[in-house]
């Protein structure tokens, strides 16, 4: 760690058994620095220490330094017991201190403890403990507030939720389970990257600012400069800004990277990305976010089965590798604690959910068959729905949950070949000769997971120039972007072959050596929510944004 000041104020209290001494930032670097100006690689993480207890008398006298945050302090007459965490594991390390050494330590205090790493006396829950001989307080904390935030009992958890709603989310991230979620997300990124690397995919970094609405739903965020969001801005100066936009034309935050990945798939054959996407959907449900991470991939193929098989392989590969790691055991462990309340999945349910992702083939059913199953269930009074199943109107959440339960029986379910009129213009018709004919379908799929429902959506893309233009005509994809927001106008007037608004470049991809291809988008946050058994997707995101809320 590098300090920004060359002065030496005595702000950090250091404690030995008998005295407190002030230390300068330069002297304090030893806790973090290897002596070569970089972050120390010599001090092991708490996870590494707990995984490798001393096995010999020599090792049991080993001097080590632990840097982390105090979780709990238990003071007794002759000694104090301090549990320390550093985010590397949900399990704390226990340090044994003399009472004077524990002075000033409260829950949440950042601390460096140097001492002897030794085996615990027989009968103790933890195999090893740190016998402290030197304690340094790096950063003190408000004892009253931190006790609420970092308390792991059920009562404290309720208090944490109240404070979280008060926009103090930065401390919420330092609870053990949220630290676990951060590492879980990091491991997902690692294994996903390894899978695609092994399969010779090229990872791309698509733009965040775009000119188009890929999904065609109009649920986009418009980009504007700081003058429109300052505290003193008015409707008048915002309107003036919109008359002279920064990019000449209105631009938006991306809702999908698919179109830009398609530009690369002609050259690279297999491409993928993992990047944030944004939807201005006014929904406040456990499944919706305004900013979320989407894994997207495109491959050269003529078969929808190739795309579906790829999705299966990716998720199965991820689950197998995560299950063989320490983090899976930690996910199960926290389910046995009281930290998360009583309304979440048990360890047995989590294990069963992961087990059901391992079979080599997941059920596949067409959209038309789904509608038939739903109608039959209603007619037989097996179930009642708020929205009647209709082939023309698409599936509601209650329909997806029924299919995931009854068809999947706990397994993921692929629903294929949706009606063409309810899907975006870029999807390839199931019958390549049909363009928005009555009751025509497109070569697409959604992957439904139990409880979470839709997690992946994909399709073959229309790769033929004139067919794509005809589909855009039929669905009324017009140049409405210059009016201020992207809109899909159905039953609109025909466009000329060059009047595709901000999508001219996309149509051009079909004019210059296009190839059959397909791809998908996977909502990573929903998948993490499913794998960890967290009901609300907002609780697996460090800084969730949804309708009406954008804290920090």
């Amino acid at each position: 760690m590098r300090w920004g000041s060359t002065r030496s104020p005595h702000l950090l209290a250091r404690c030995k058994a008998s005295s407190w001494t002030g230390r300068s930032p330069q002297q304090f670097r030893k806790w973090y620095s290897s002596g070569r100006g970089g972050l120390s690689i010599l001090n092991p993480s708490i996870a590494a220490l707990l995984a490798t207890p001393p096995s010999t008398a020599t090792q049991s006298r080993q001097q080590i330094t632990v840097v982390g945050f105090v979780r709990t302090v238990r003071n007794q007459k002759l000694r104090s017991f301090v549990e320390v965490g550093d985010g590397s594991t949900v399990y704390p390390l226990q340090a044994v201190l003399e009472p004077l050494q524990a002075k000033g330590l409260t829950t949440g205090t950042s601390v460096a403890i140097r001492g002897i790493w030794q085996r615990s006396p027989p009968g103790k829950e933890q195999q090893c403990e740190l016998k402290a001989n030197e304690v340094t307080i790096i950063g003190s904390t408000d004892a009253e507030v931190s006790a609420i935030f970092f308390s792991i009992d059920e009562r404290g958890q309720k208090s944490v939720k109240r404070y979280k709603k008060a926009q103090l989310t930065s401390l919420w991230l330092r609870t053990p389970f949220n630290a676990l979620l951060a590492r879980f997300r990091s491991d997902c990124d690692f294994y996903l990257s390894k899978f695609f690397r092994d399969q010779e995919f090229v990872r791309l970094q698509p733009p965040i600012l775009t000119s188009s609405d890929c999904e065609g739903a109009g649920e986009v965020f418009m980009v504007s400069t700081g003058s429109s969001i300052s505290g003193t801005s008015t409707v008048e100066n915002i309107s003036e800004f919109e008359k002279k936009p920064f990019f000449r034309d209105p631009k938006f935050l991306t809702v999908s990277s698919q179109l830009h990945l398609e530009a690369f798939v002609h050259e690279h054959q297999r491409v993928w990305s993992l990047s944030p996407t944004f939807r201005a959907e006014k929904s406040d449900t456990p499944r919706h976010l305004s900013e979320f991470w989407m894994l997207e991939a495109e491959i050269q193929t003529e078969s929808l089965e190739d795309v579906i098989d790829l999705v299966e392989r990716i998720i199965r590969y991820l689950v197998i590798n995560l299950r063989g790691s320490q983090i899976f055991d930690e996910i199960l462990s926290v389910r046995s604690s009281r930290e998360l309340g009583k309304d979440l999945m048990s360890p047995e349910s989590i294990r069963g959910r992961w087990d059901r992702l391992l079979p080599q083939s997941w059920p596949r059913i067409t959209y038309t068959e789904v509608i038939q199953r739903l109608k039959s269930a209603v007619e037989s009074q097996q179930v009642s729905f708020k929205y009647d199943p209709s082939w023309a109107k698409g599936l509601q959440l209650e329909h997806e949950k029924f299919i995931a339960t009854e068809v999947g029986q706990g397994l993921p379910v692929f629903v294929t070949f949706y009606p063409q009129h309810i899907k975006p213009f870029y999807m390839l018709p199931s019958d390549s000769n049909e363009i928005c004919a009555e009751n025509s379908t497109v070569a697409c799929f959604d992957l439904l997971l139990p409880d979470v429902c839709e997690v992946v959506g994909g399709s073959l893309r229309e790769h033929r120039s004139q067919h794509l233009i005809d589909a855009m005509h039929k669905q009324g994809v017009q140049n409405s972007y210059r009016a201020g927001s992207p809109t899909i106008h159905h039953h609109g007037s025909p466009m000329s072959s060059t009047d595709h608004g901000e999508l001219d470049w996309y149509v051009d991809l079909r004019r210059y050596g296009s190839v059959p291809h397909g791809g998908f988008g996977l909502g990573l946050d929903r998948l993490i929510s499913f794998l960890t058994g967290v009901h609300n997707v907002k609780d697996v995101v460090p800084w969730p944004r949804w309708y009406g809320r954008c804290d920090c």
Side-chain angles (χ1 to χ4, degrees), residues 314-329:
I314 290 170
I315 296 178
R316 188 176 297 113
Y317 177 91
L318 179 64
V319 169
I320 290 174
N321 281 276
L322 288 173
R323 182 157 186 169
S325 68
Q326 174 66 26
I327 204 161
F328 178 69
D329 295 332

Side-chain angles (χ1 to χ4, degrees), residues 125-404:
E125 181 177 351
Q126 198 171 79
Q127 291 184 0
C128 301
E129 62 188 16
L130 179 61
K131 180 64 173 67
N133 55 40
E134 190 174 356
V135 177
T136 302
I137 295 177
I138 301 174
S140 59
T141 186
D142 185 313
E144 181 179 357
V145 174
S146 65
I148 295 175
F149 269 105
F150 301 108
S151 175
I152 62 173
D153 62 20
E154 189 173 324
R155 180 180 178 183
Q157 186 68 12
K158 294 178 180 178
S159 298
V160 168
K161 291 182 178 180
R162 287 198 296 269
Y163 274 90
K164 185 181 180 184
K165 293 180 180 180
Q167 302 182 8
L168 296 176
T169 55
S170 57
L171 292 181
W172 169 258
L173 304 180
R174 285 166 54 185
T175 58
F177 185 67
N178 280 279
L180 172 61
L181 287 176
R183 288 185 289 110
F184 187 87
R185 182 181 292 268
S186 177
D187 283 3
C188 287
D189 191 314
F190 171 78
Y191 288 120
L192 290 170
S193 299
K194 187 176 187 303
F195 173 88
F196 283 112
R197 182 70 176 179
D198 292 344
Q199 300 300 316
E200 299 183 356
F201 278 71
V202 177
R203 185 170 188 173
L204 304 174
Q205 288 74 40
I208 299 298
L209 303 181
T210 69
S211 302
S212 58
D213 174 10
C214 173
E215 297 299 318
E219 298 169 340
V220 295
F221 289 99
M222 181 180 292
V223 176
S224 59
T225 61
S227 61
S228 65
I229 60 173
S230 64
T232 58
S233 62
T234 63
V235 174
E236 289 75 13
N237 63 34
I238 293 177
S239 299
E240 183 64 25
F241 167 77
E242 291 176 345
K243 294 177 182 178
K244 298 180 180 180
F246 186 87
F247 290 110
R248 294 183 298 180
D249 304 302
K251 305 301 176 186
F252 317 96
L253 296 181
T254 181
V255 298
S256 172
S257 299
Q258 175 203 319
L259 303 188
H260 295 92
L261 292 186
E262 286 190 61
F264 277 93
V265 76
H266 293 80
E267 174 66 20
H268 296 292
Q269 300 187 22
R270 305 171 185 177
V271 297
W272 77 289
S273 68
L274 179 58
S275 58
T277 54
F278 307 85
R279 304 280 173 89
E281 185 176 357
K282 296 182 178 180
S283 297
D284 184 11
T285 74
R287 302 169 59 249
H288 287 91
L289 290 165
S290 296
E291 177 187 3
F292 54 96
W293 283 76
M294 183 81 78
L295 185 156
E296 298 182 76
E298 295 288 325
I299 60 173
Q300 291 186 13
T301 182
E302 296 182 281
S303 170
L304 183 64
E305 293 298 312
D306 288 346
V307 184
I308 293 177
D309 290 344
L310 177 61
V311 171
E312 272 196 24
R313 289 173 58 201
I314 290 170
I315 296 178
R316 188 176 297 113
Y317 177 91
L318 179 64
V319 169
I320 290 174
N321 281 276
L322 288 173
R323 182 157 186 169
S325 68
Q326 174 66 26
I327 204 161
F328 178 69
D329 295 332
E330 293 189 40
I331 290 289
L332 298 181
S333 173
V334 296
R335 294 304 176 188
S336 301
S337 72
R338 294 182 297 168
E339 176 186 357
L340 303 176
K342 302 177 180 179
D343 58 341
L344 297 182
M345 298 183 68
S346 66
E348 295 74 19
S349 298
I350 291 288
R351 190 185 299 275
R353 173 174 281 187
W354 286 50
D355 287 343
R356 287 186 287 272
L357 295 175
L358 299 180
Q360 293 302 307
S361 182
W362 299 342
R364 303 179 186 188
I365 184 173
T366 67
Y367 175 88
T368 300
E369 292 171 335
V370 164
I371 296 299
Q372 293 172 351
R373 292 283 294 267
L374 293 172
K375 289 183 176 180
S376 297
V378 172
E379 292 172 359
S380 64
Q381 297 184 345
Q382 177 184 356
V383 67
S384 61
F385 297 116
K386 179 179 179 180
Y387 300 95
D388 292 332
S390 170
W391 193 90
K393 294 182 179 180
L395 299 179
Q396 300 293 328
L397 177 60
E398 58 181 346
H399 303 150
E400 292 181 346
K401 287 185 175 182
F402 178 84
I403 294 301

